[in-house]
Amino acid sequence: MFGFGKKANKLDGIDVLIIKTVEAKNRNFYQVVFPSVLANDILSMLQKLEKSKMNQQEFLGEIGGFRIATHLEAMTNIDILDDADLEARPVHIEDFANILLRRLEHLEESGKMEESEDMAFIMGELTMLRDGSYVPQN
């Protein structure tokens, strides 16, 4: 872990996770953006999902097999320099949570997902992130 330059006040910035995918059709990675105040909770939840048995393409679709490569903290500005490149555009956490949640709900409905405390926790967190009702844990 290293840093350079001054960071904004942690509560005022936005964080970015660079999430690499294994064999996605349209992108090699996602830049997921969210308020810095939510960083610890979001990172912890996504790391649980990353390490789970569910992190496979057969379960999560093209996001399956993802790895969290980089966490950029307390950014104050993001400039998109190549509007034509899909990967240049960050994905808001609400949209990313919705993608994951739709896949997990489909698996749950079809009976392909084992019930566990971790998956119930992750689905609850994703639901709140998608709906914009997430409250950070202290």
Side-chain angles (χ1 to χ4, degrees), residues 93-126:
I93 189 63
E94 296 87 356
D95 297 329
F96 192 72
N98 189 42
I99 293 167
L100 289 172
L101 192 56
R102 282 188 312 193
R103 288 296 299 180
L104 293 174
E105 286 173 340
H106 176 70
L107 291 171
E108 186 178 52
E109 290 167 6
S110 66
K112 294 181 182 175
M113 183 169 70
E114 294 177 19
E115 289 189 29
S116 74
E117 214 173 280
D118 280 347
M119 289 314 296
F121 168 78
I122 289 169
M123 288 181 72
E125 300 278 294
L126 289 171

PDB file of all heavy atoms in Angstrom, residues 93-126:
ATOM      1  N   ILE A  93     -22.120   2.303  -7.464  1.00  0.00           N
ATOM      2  CA  ILE A  93     -22.326   1.130  -6.615  1.00  0.00           C
ATOM      3  C   ILE A  93     -23.762   0.636  -6.690  1.00  0.00           C
ATOM      4  O   ILE A  93     -24.003  -0.572  -6.643  1.00  0.00           O
ATOM      5  CB  ILE A  93     -21.897   1.404  -5.142  1.00  0.00           C
ATOM      6  CG1 ILE A  93     -21.894   0.122  -4.316  1.00  0.00           C
ATOM      7  CG2 ILE A  93     -22.774   2.470  -4.493  1.00  0.00           C
ATOM      8  CD1 ILE A  93     -20.918  -0.938  -4.753  1.00  0.00           C
ATOM      9  N   GLU A  94     -24.730   1.533  -6.865  1.00  0.00           N
ATOM     10  CA  GLU A  94     -26.124   1.104  -6.973  1.00  0.00           C
ATOM     11  C   GLU A  94     -26.322   0.190  -8.182  1.00  0.00           C
ATOM     12  O   GLU A  94     -27.028  -0.814  -8.098  1.00  0.00           O
ATOM     13  CB  GLU A  94     -27.065   2.318  -7.103  1.00  0.00           C
ATOM     14  CG  GLU A  94     -27.083   3.229  -5.908  1.00  0.00           C
ATOM     15  CD  GLU A  94     -25.993   4.302  -5.939  1.00  0.00           C
ATOM     16  OE1 GLU A  94     -25.148   4.308  -6.855  1.00  0.00           O
ATOM     17  OE2 GLU A  94     -25.996   5.140  -5.019  1.00  0.00           O
ATOM     18  N   ASP A  95     -25.694   0.538  -9.304  1.00  0.00           N
ATOM     19  CA  ASP A  95     -25.822  -0.273 -10.517  1.00  0.00           C
ATOM     20  C   ASP A  95     -25.066  -1.589 -10.398  1.00  0.00           C
ATOM     21  O   ASP A  95     -25.554  -2.638 -10.824  1.00  0.00           O
ATOM     22  CB  ASP A  95     -25.327   0.517 -11.733  1.00  0.00           C
ATOM     23  CG  ASP A  95     -26.158   1.757 -11.992  1.00  0.00           C
ATOM     24  OD1 ASP A  95     -27.368   1.742 -11.689  1.00  0.00           O
ATOM     25  OD2 ASP A  95     -25.599   2.753 -12.485  1.00  0.00           O
ATOM     26  N   PHE A  96     -23.871  -1.535  -9.811  1.00  0.00           N
ATOM     27  CA  PHE A  96     -23.076  -2.747  -9.633  1.00  0.00           C
ATOM     28  C   PHE A  96     -23.790  -3.701  -8.667  1.00  0.00           C
ATOM     29  O   PHE A  96     -23.875  -4.905  -8.913  1.00  0.00           O
ATOM     30  CB  PHE A  96     -21.679  -2.398  -9.124  1.00  0.00           C
ATOM     31  CG  PHE A  96     -20.711  -3.542  -9.176  1.00  0.00           C
ATOM     32  CD1 PHE A  96     -20.205  -3.987 -10.387  1.00  0.00           C
ATOM     33  CD2 PHE A  96     -20.297  -4.172  -8.021  1.00  0.00           C
ATOM     34  CE1 PHE A  96     -19.306  -5.043 -10.450  1.00  0.00           C
ATOM     35  CE2 PHE A  96     -19.390  -5.229  -8.061  1.00  0.00           C
ATOM     36  CZ  PHE A  96     -18.900  -5.664  -9.282  1.00  0.00           C
ATOM     37  N   ALA A  97     -24.337  -3.155  -7.580  1.00  0.00           N
ATOM     38  CA  ALA A  97     -25.078  -3.966  -6.621  1.00  0.00           C
ATOM     39  C   ALA A  97     -26.292  -4.598  -7.296  1.00  0.00           C
ATOM     40  O   ALA A  97     -26.622  -5.761  -7.040  1.00  0.00           O
ATOM     41  CB  ALA A  97     -25.507  -3.119  -5.419  1.00  0.00           C
ATOM     42  N   ASN A  98     -26.959  -3.852  -8.162  1.00  0.00           N
ATOM     43  CA  ASN A  98     -28.130  -4.370  -8.869  1.00  0.00           C
ATOM     44  C   ASN A  98     -27.753  -5.550  -9.768  1.00  0.00           C
ATOM     45  O   ASN A  98     -28.467  -6.556  -9.817  1.00  0.00           O
ATOM     46  CB  ASN A  98     -28.796  -3.258  -9.683  1.00  0.00           C
ATOM     47  CG  ASN A  98     -30.125  -3.691 -10.250  1.00  0.00           C
ATOM     48  OD1 ASN A  98     -30.920  -4.334  -9.587  1.00  0.00           O
ATOM     49  ND2 ASN A  98     -30.354  -3.349 -11.503  1.00  0.00           N
ATOM     50  N   ILE A  99     -26.645  -5.441 -10.477  1.00  0.00           N
ATOM     51  CA  ILE A  99     -26.179  -6.535 -11.344  1.00  0.00           C
ATOM     52  C   ILE A  99     -25.954  -7.800 -10.514  1.00  0.00           C
ATOM     53  O   ILE A  99     -26.437  -8.887 -10.850  1.00  0.00           O
ATOM     54  CB  ILE A  99     -24.878  -6.143 -12.076  1.00  0.00           C
ATOM     55  CG1 ILE A  99     -25.125  -5.017 -13.077  1.00  0.00           C
ATOM     56  CG2 ILE A  99     -24.260  -7.352 -12.781  1.00  0.00           C
ATOM     57  CD1 ILE A  99     -23.854  -4.369 -13.608  1.00  0.00           C
ATOM     58  N   LEU A 100     -25.212  -7.652  -9.413  1.00  0.00           N
ATOM     59  CA  LEU A 100     -24.912  -8.803  -8.556  1.00  0.00           C
ATOM     60  C   LEU A 100     -26.183  -9.367  -7.920  1.00  0.00           C
ATOM     61  O   LEU A 100     -26.392 -10.577  -7.888  1.00  0.00           O
ATOM     62  CB  LEU A 100     -23.922  -8.406  -7.460  1.00  0.00           C
ATOM     63  CG  LEU A 100     -22.490  -8.128  -7.897  1.00  0.00           C
ATOM     64  CD1 LEU A 100     -21.689  -7.554  -6.748  1.00  0.00           C
ATOM     65  CD2 LEU A 100     -21.837  -9.392  -8.431  1.00  0.00           C
ATOM     66  N   LEU A 101     -27.018  -8.472  -7.438  1.00  0.00           N
ATOM     67  CA  LEU A 101     -28.228  -8.904  -6.743  1.00  0.00           C
ATOM     68  C   LEU A 101     -29.186  -9.649  -7.666  1.00  0.00           C
ATOM     69  O   LEU A 101     -29.766 -10.672  -7.276  1.00  0.00           O
ATOM     70  CB  LEU A 101     -28.921  -7.693  -6.119  1.00  0.00           C
ATOM     71  CG  LEU A 101     -30.035  -7.981  -5.137  1.00  0.00           C
ATOM     72  CD1 LEU A 101     -29.548  -8.868  -3.993  1.00  0.00           C
ATOM     73  CD2 LEU A 101     -30.596  -6.690  -4.589  1.00  0.00           C
ATOM     74  N   ARG A 102     -29.341  -9.180  -8.899  1.00  0.00           N
ATOM     75  CA  ARG A 102     -30.221  -9.885  -9.852  1.00  0.00           C
ATOM     76  C   ARG A 102     -29.746 -11.309 -10.068  1.00  0.00           C
ATOM     77  O   ARG A 102     -30.543 -12.247 -10.114  1.00  0.00           O
ATOM     78  CB  ARG A 102     -30.301  -9.135 -11.179  1.00  0.00           C
ATOM     79  CG  ARG A 102     -31.216  -7.941 -11.133  1.00  0.00           C
ATOM     80  CD  ARG A 102     -31.399  -7.370 -12.486  1.00  0.00           C
ATOM     81  NE  ARG A 102     -30.076  -7.219 -13.115  1.00  0.00           N
ATOM     82  CZ  ARG A 102     -29.829  -6.533 -14.205  1.00  0.00           C
ATOM     83  NH1 ARG A 102     -30.805  -5.947 -14.848  1.00  0.00           N
ATOM     84  NH2 ARG A 102     -28.625  -6.441 -14.696  1.00  0.00           N
ATOM     85  N   ARG A 103     -28.424 -11.487 -10.223  1.00  0.00           N
ATOM     86  CA  ARG A 103     -27.883 -12.842 -10.417  1.00  0.00           C
ATOM     87  C   ARG A 103     -28.130 -13.712  -9.185  1.00  0.00           C
ATOM     88  O   ARG A 103     -28.547 -14.856  -9.298  1.00  0.00           O
ATOM     89  CB  ARG A 103     -26.377 -12.783 -10.712  1.00  0.00           C
ATOM     90  CG  ARG A 103     -26.005 -12.273 -12.068  1.00  0.00           C
ATOM     91  CD  ARG A 103     -26.479 -13.154 -13.178  1.00  0.00           C
ATOM     92  NE  ARG A 103     -25.902 -14.488 -13.106  1.00  0.00           N
ATOM     93  CZ  ARG A 103     -26.139 -15.455 -13.953  1.00  0.00           C
ATOM     94  NH1 ARG A 103     -26.942 -15.251 -14.967  1.00  0.00           N
ATOM     95  NH2 ARG A 103     -25.596 -16.634 -13.816  1.00  0.00           N
ATOM     96  N   LEU A 104     -27.856 -13.163  -8.004  1.00  0.00           N
ATOM     97  CA  LEU A 104     -28.027 -13.939  -6.774  1.00  0.00           C
ATOM     98  C   LEU A 104     -29.499 -14.273  -6.521  1.00  0.00           C
ATOM     99  O   LEU A 104     -29.819 -15.389  -6.096  1.00  0.00           O
ATOM    100  CB  LEU A 104     -27.423 -13.184  -5.588  1.00  0.00           C
ATOM    101  CG  LEU A 104     -25.903 -13.042  -5.614  1.00  0.00           C
ATOM    102  CD1 LEU A 104     -25.429 -12.148  -4.481  1.00  0.00           C
ATOM    103  CD2 LEU A 104     -25.205 -14.396  -5.562  1.00  0.00           C
ATOM    104  N   GLU A 105     -30.398 -13.335  -6.795  1.00  0.00           N
ATOM    105  CA  GLU A 105     -31.833 -13.601  -6.629  1.00  0.00           C
ATOM    106  C   GLU A 105     -32.297 -14.694  -7.588  1.00  0.00           C
ATOM    107  O   GLU A 105     -33.093 -15.561  -7.216  1.00  0.00           O
ATOM    108  CB  GLU A 105     -32.644 -12.320  -6.851  1.00  0.00           C
ATOM    109  CG  GLU A 105     -32.539 -11.337  -5.713  1.00  0.00           C
ATOM    110  CD  GLU A 105     -33.198  -9.998  -6.011  1.00  0.00           C
ATOM    111  OE1 GLU A 105     -33.415  -9.662  -7.201  1.00  0.00           O
ATOM    112  OE2 GLU A 105     -33.473  -9.284  -5.053  1.00  0.00           O
ATOM    113  N   HIS A 106     -31.780 -14.661  -8.815  1.00  0.00           N
ATOM    114  CA  HIS A 106     -32.132 -15.696  -9.795  1.00  0.00           C
ATOM    115  C   HIS A 106     -31.663 -17.072  -9.306  1.00  0.00           C
ATOM    116  O   HIS A 106     -32.393 -18.063  -9.414  1.00  0.00           O
ATOM    117  CB  HIS A 106     -31.517 -15.367 -11.154  1.00  0.00           C
ATOM    118  CG  HIS A 106     -31.751 -16.421 -12.184  1.00  0.00           C
ATOM    119  ND1 HIS A 106     -32.989 -16.666 -12.737  1.00  0.00           N
ATOM    120  CD2 HIS A 106     -30.906 -17.331 -12.735  1.00  0.00           C
ATOM    121  CE1 HIS A 106     -32.898 -17.676 -13.590  1.00  0.00           C
ATOM    122  NE2 HIS A 106     -31.645 -18.098 -13.603  1.00  0.00           N
ATOM    123  N   LEU A 107     -30.453 -17.118  -8.766  1.00  0.00           N
ATOM    124  CA  LEU A 107     -29.931 -18.387  -8.242  1.00  0.00           C
ATOM    125  C   LEU A 107     -30.765 -18.882  -7.065  1.00  0.00           C
ATOM    126  O   LEU A 107     -31.038 -20.072  -6.947  1.00  0.00           O
ATOM    127  CB  LEU A 107     -28.474 -18.209  -7.806  1.00  0.00           C
ATOM    128  CG  LEU A 107     -27.466 -17.991  -8.925  1.00  0.00           C
ATOM    129  CD1 LEU A 107     -26.124 -17.602  -8.352  1.00  0.00           C
ATOM    130  CD2 LEU A 107     -27.346 -19.244  -9.785  1.00  0.00           C
ATOM    131  N   GLU A 108     -31.155 -17.948  -6.213  1.00  0.00           N
ATOM    132  CA  GLU A 108     -31.962 -18.302  -5.048  1.00  0.00           C
ATOM    133  C   GLU A 108     -33.318 -18.867  -5.484  1.00  0.00           C
ATOM    134  O   GLU A 108     -33.769 -19.893  -4.981  1.00  0.00           O
ATOM    135  CB  GLU A 108     -32.149 -17.074  -4.160  1.00  0.00           C
ATOM    136  CG  GLU A 108     -32.859 -17.350  -2.853  1.00  0.00           C
ATOM    137  CD  GLU A 108     -32.965 -16.115  -1.998  1.00  0.00           C
ATOM    138  OE1 GLU A 108     -33.442 -15.077  -2.498  1.00  0.00           O
ATOM    139  OE2 GLU A 108     -32.575 -16.202  -0.823  1.00  0.00           O
ATOM    140  N   GLU A 109     -33.958 -18.211  -6.459  1.00  0.00           N
ATOM    141  CA  GLU A 109     -35.264 -18.651  -6.949  1.00  0.00           C
ATOM    142  C   GLU A 109     -35.197 -20.013  -7.627  1.00  0.00           C
ATOM    143  O   GLU A 109     -36.122 -20.809  -7.545  1.00  0.00           O
ATOM    144  CB  GLU A 109     -35.839 -17.617  -7.915  1.00  0.00           C
ATOM    145  CG  GLU A 109     -36.264 -16.330  -7.242  1.00  0.00           C
ATOM    146  CD  GLU A 109     -36.535 -15.202  -8.224  1.00  0.00           C
ATOM    147  OE1 GLU A 109     -36.512 -15.450  -9.458  1.00  0.00           O
ATOM    148  OE2 GLU A 109     -36.771 -14.081  -7.762  1.00  0.00           O
ATOM    149  N   SER A 110     -34.085 -20.274  -8.303  1.00  0.00           N
ATOM    150  CA  SER A 110     -33.947 -21.549  -9.014  1.00  0.00           C
ATOM    151  C   SER A 110     -33.414 -22.664  -8.115  1.00  0.00           C
ATOM    152  O   SER A 110     -33.264 -23.802  -8.569  1.00  0.00           O
ATOM    153  CB  SER A 110     -33.038 -21.377 -10.237  1.00  0.00           C
ATOM    154  OG  SER A 110     -31.712 -21.079  -9.833  1.00  0.00           O
ATOM    155  N   GLY A 111     -33.102 -22.344  -6.864  1.00  0.00           N
ATOM    156  CA  GLY A 111     -32.620 -23.353  -5.923  1.00  0.00           C
ATOM    157  C   GLY A 111     -31.167 -23.730  -6.096  1.00  0.00           C
ATOM    158  O   GLY A 111     -30.711 -24.731  -5.537  1.00  0.00           O
ATOM    159  N   LYS A 112     -30.412 -22.949  -6.852  1.00  0.00           N
ATOM    160  CA  LYS A 112     -29.003 -23.273  -7.099  1.00  0.00           C
ATOM    161  C   LYS A 112     -28.046 -22.680  -6.069  1.00  0.00           C
ATOM    162  O   LYS A 112     -26.873 -22.961  -6.091  1.00  0.00           O
ATOM    163  CB  LYS A 112     -28.589 -22.781  -8.488  1.00  0.00           C
ATOM    164  CG  LYS A 112     -29.285 -23.503  -9.614  1.00  0.00           C
ATOM    165  CD  LYS A 112     -28.837 -22.993 -10.955  1.00  0.00           C
ATOM    166  CE  LYS A 112     -29.579 -23.687 -12.074  1.00  0.00           C
ATOM    167  NZ  LYS A 112     -29.249 -23.132 -13.378  1.00  0.00           N
ATOM    168  N   MET A 113     -28.584 -21.851  -5.174  1.00  0.00           N
ATOM    169  CA  MET A 113     -27.724 -21.202  -4.194  1.00  0.00           C
ATOM    170  C   MET A 113     -27.960 -21.828  -2.826  1.00  0.00           C
ATOM    171  O   MET A 113     -29.098 -21.965  -2.384  1.00  0.00           O
ATOM    172  CB  MET A 113     -28.020 -19.698  -4.126  1.00  0.00           C
ATOM    173  CG  MET A 113     -27.113 -18.970  -3.174  1.00  0.00           C
ATOM    174  SD  MET A 113     -27.217 -17.173  -3.315  1.00  0.00           S
ATOM    175  CE  MET A 113     -28.834 -16.855  -2.666  1.00  0.00           C
ATOM    176  N   GLU A 114     -26.861 -22.217  -2.190  1.00  0.00           N
ATOM    177  CA  GLU A 114     -26.961 -22.746  -0.834  1.00  0.00           C
ATOM    178  C   GLU A 114     -27.266 -21.592   0.119  1.00  0.00           C
ATOM    179  O   GLU A 114     -26.681 -20.526   0.016  1.00  0.00           O
ATOM    180  CB  GLU A 114     -25.637 -23.382  -0.419  1.00  0.00           C
ATOM    181  CG  GLU A 114     -25.244 -24.597  -1.192  1.00  0.00           C
ATOM    182  CD  GLU A 114     -23.882 -25.126  -0.770  1.00  0.00           C
ATOM    183  OE1 GLU A 114     -23.414 -24.790   0.331  1.00  0.00           O
ATOM    184  OE2 GLU A 114     -23.300 -25.859  -1.571  1.00  0.00           O
ATOM    185  N   GLU A 115     -28.187 -21.838   1.031  1.00  0.00           N
ATOM    186  CA  GLU A 115     -28.491 -20.804   2.020  1.00  0.00           C
ATOM    187  C   GLU A 115     -27.376 -20.773   3.047  1.00  0.00           C
ATOM    188  O   GLU A 115     -26.948 -21.804   3.548  1.00  0.00           O
ATOM    189  CB  GLU A 115     -29.825 -21.102   2.697  1.00  0.00           C
ATOM    190  CG  GLU A 115     -31.003 -20.879   1.777  1.00  0.00           C
ATOM    191  CD  GLU A 115     -32.324 -20.972   2.523  1.00  0.00           C
ATOM    192  OE1 GLU A 115     -32.366 -20.675   3.721  1.00  0.00           O
ATOM    193  OE2 GLU A 115     -33.302 -21.344   1.859  1.00  0.00           O
ATOM    194  N   SER A 116     -26.899 -19.581   3.323  1.00  0.00           N
ATOM    195  CA  SER A 116     -25.881 -19.409   4.352  1.00  0.00           C
ATOM    196  C   SER A 116     -26.033 -18.021   4.953  1.00  0.00           C
ATOM    197  O   SER A 116     -26.636 -17.127   4.350  1.00  0.00           O
ATOM    198  CB  SER A 116     -24.472 -19.583   3.764  1.00  0.00           C
ATOM    199  OG  SER A 116     -24.114 -18.459   2.992  1.00  0.00           O
ATOM    200  N   GLU A 117     -25.467 -17.864   6.123  1.00  0.00           N
ATOM    201  CA  GLU A 117     -25.521 -16.574   6.803  1.00  0.00           C
ATOM    202  C   GLU A 117     -24.776 -15.511   5.993  1.00  0.00           C
ATOM    203  O   GLU A 117     -25.233 -14.378   5.876  1.00  0.00           O
ATOM    204  CB  GLU A 117     -24.893 -16.720   8.197  1.00  0.00           C
ATOM    205  CG  GLU A 117     -25.529 -15.852   9.239  1.00  0.00           C
ATOM    206  CD  GLU A 117     -24.994 -16.163  10.622  1.00  0.00           C
ATOM    207  OE1 GLU A 117     -25.454 -17.157  11.226  1.00  0.00           O
ATOM    208  OE2 GLU A 117     -24.126 -15.405  11.072  1.00  0.00           O
ATOM    209  N   ASP A 118     -23.626 -15.889   5.433  1.00  0.00           N
ATOM    210  CA  ASP A 118     -22.837 -14.937   4.636  1.00  0.00           C
ATOM    211  C   ASP A 118     -23.600 -14.460   3.408  1.00  0.00           C
ATOM    212  O   ASP A 118     -23.601 -13.271   3.101  1.00  0.00           O
ATOM    213  CB  ASP A 118     -21.506 -15.555   4.192  1.00  0.00           C
ATOM    214  CG  ASP A 118     -20.450 -15.526   5.286  1.00  0.00           C
ATOM    215  OD1 ASP A 118     -20.653 -14.814   6.297  1.00  0.00           O
ATOM    216  OD2 ASP A 118     -19.436 -16.224   5.128  1.00  0.00           O
ATOM    217  N   MET A 119     -24.260 -15.386   2.703  1.00  0.00           N
ATOM    218  CA  MET A 119     -24.995 -14.982   1.502  1.00  0.00           C
ATOM    219  C   MET A 119     -26.209 -14.131   1.852  1.00  0.00           C
ATOM    220  O   MET A 119     -26.530 -13.187   1.139  1.00  0.00           O
ATOM    221  CB  MET A 119     -25.403 -16.200   0.672  1.00  0.00           C
ATOM    222  CG  MET A 119     -24.235 -16.882  -0.026  1.00  0.00           C
ATOM    223  SD  MET A 119     -23.084 -15.760  -0.884  1.00  0.00           S
ATOM    224  CE  MET A 119     -24.125 -15.069  -2.126  1.00  0.00           C
ATOM    225  N   ALA A 120     -26.871 -14.439   2.962  1.00  0.00           N
ATOM    226  CA  ALA A 120     -28.003 -13.613   3.400  1.00  0.00           C
ATOM    227  C   ALA A 120     -27.511 -12.203   3.728  1.00  0.00           C
ATOM    228  O   ALA A 120     -28.155 -11.211   3.356  1.00  0.00           O
ATOM    229  CB  ALA A 120     -28.675 -14.245   4.610  1.00  0.00           C
ATOM    230  N   PHE A 121     -26.368 -12.112   4.387  1.00  0.00           N
ATOM    231  CA  PHE A 121     -25.774 -10.817   4.717  1.00  0.00           C
ATOM    232  C   PHE A 121     -25.437 -10.039   3.445  1.00  0.00           C
ATOM    233  O   PHE A 121     -25.786  -8.876   3.297  1.00  0.00           O
ATOM    234  CB  PHE A 121     -24.512 -11.028   5.572  1.00  0.00           C
ATOM    235  CG  PHE A 121     -23.675  -9.799   5.738  1.00  0.00           C
ATOM    236  CD1 PHE A 121     -24.045  -8.803   6.629  1.00  0.00           C
ATOM    237  CD2 PHE A 121     -22.514  -9.637   4.990  1.00  0.00           C
ATOM    238  CE1 PHE A 121     -23.275  -7.666   6.776  1.00  0.00           C
ATOM    239  CE2 PHE A 121     -21.734  -8.500   5.129  1.00  0.00           C
ATOM    240  CZ  PHE A 121     -22.112  -7.506   6.024  1.00  0.00           C
ATOM    241  N   ILE A 122     -24.768 -10.700   2.499  1.00  0.00           N
ATOM    242  CA  ILE A 122     -24.358 -10.053   1.255  1.00  0.00           C
ATOM    243  C   ILE A 122     -25.575  -9.583   0.474  1.00  0.00           C
ATOM    244  O   ILE A 122     -25.611  -8.457  -0.025  1.00  0.00           O
ATOM    245  CB  ILE A 122     -23.473 -11.008   0.415  1.00  0.00           C
ATOM    246  CG1 ILE A 122     -22.102 -11.164   1.080  1.00  0.00           C
ATOM    247  CG2 ILE A 122     -23.330 -10.510  -1.023  1.00  0.00           C
ATOM    248  CD1 ILE A 122     -21.240 -12.267   0.498  1.00  0.00           C
ATOM    249  N   MET A 123     -26.599 -10.422   0.379  1.00  0.00           N
ATOM    250  CA  MET A 123     -27.805 -10.025  -0.363  1.00  0.00           C
ATOM    251  C   MET A 123     -28.516  -8.855   0.315  1.00  0.00           C
ATOM    252  O   MET A 123     -29.038  -7.964  -0.353  1.00  0.00           O
ATOM    253  CB  MET A 123     -28.740 -11.213  -0.547  1.00  0.00           C
ATOM    254  CG  MET A 123     -28.175 -12.210  -1.555  1.00  0.00           C
ATOM    255  SD  MET A 123     -29.238 -13.618  -1.838  1.00  0.00           S
ATOM    256  CE  MET A 123     -30.557 -12.864  -2.786  1.00  0.00           C
ATOM    257  N   GLY A 124     -28.519  -8.831   1.635  1.00  0.00           N
ATOM    258  CA  GLY A 124     -29.108  -7.707   2.356  1.00  0.00           C
ATOM    259  C   GLY A 124     -28.348  -6.415   2.102  1.00  0.00           C
ATOM    260  O   GLY A 124     -28.948  -5.360   1.852  1.00  0.00           O
ATOM    261  N   GLU A 125     -27.032  -6.497   2.144  1.00  0.00           N
ATOM    262  CA  GLU A 125     -26.193  -5.320   1.886  1.00  0.00           C
ATOM    263  C   GLU A 125     -26.393  -4.824   0.448  1.00  0.00           C
ATOM    264  O   GLU A 125     -26.534  -3.626   0.208  1.00  0.00           O
ATOM    265  CB  GLU A 125     -24.712  -5.656   2.098  1.00  0.00           C
ATOM    266  CG  GLU A 125     -24.360  -6.120   3.494  1.00  0.00           C
ATOM    267  CD  GLU A 125     -24.171  -4.984   4.460  1.00  0.00           C
ATOM    268  OE1 GLU A 125     -23.227  -4.216   4.296  1.00  0.00           O
ATOM    269  OE2 GLU A 125     -24.993  -4.876   5.388  1.00  0.00           O
ATOM    270  N   LEU A 126     -26.402  -5.749  -0.508  1.00  0.00           N
ATOM    271  CA  LEU A 126     -26.588  -5.372  -1.913  1.00  0.00           C
ATOM    272  C   LEU A 126     -27.957  -4.734  -2.136  1.00  0.00           C
ATOM    273  O   LEU A 126     -28.078  -3.778  -2.904  1.00  0.00           O
ATOM    274  CB  LEU A 126     -26.420  -6.595  -2.824  1.00  0.00           C
ATOM    275  CG  LEU A 126     -25.003  -7.137  -2.958  1.00  0.00           C
ATOM    276  CD1 LEU A 126     -25.013  -8.473  -3.708  1.00  0.00           C
ATOM    277  CD2 LEU A 126     -24.084  -6.141  -3.643  1.00  0.00           C
TER     278      LEU A 126
END
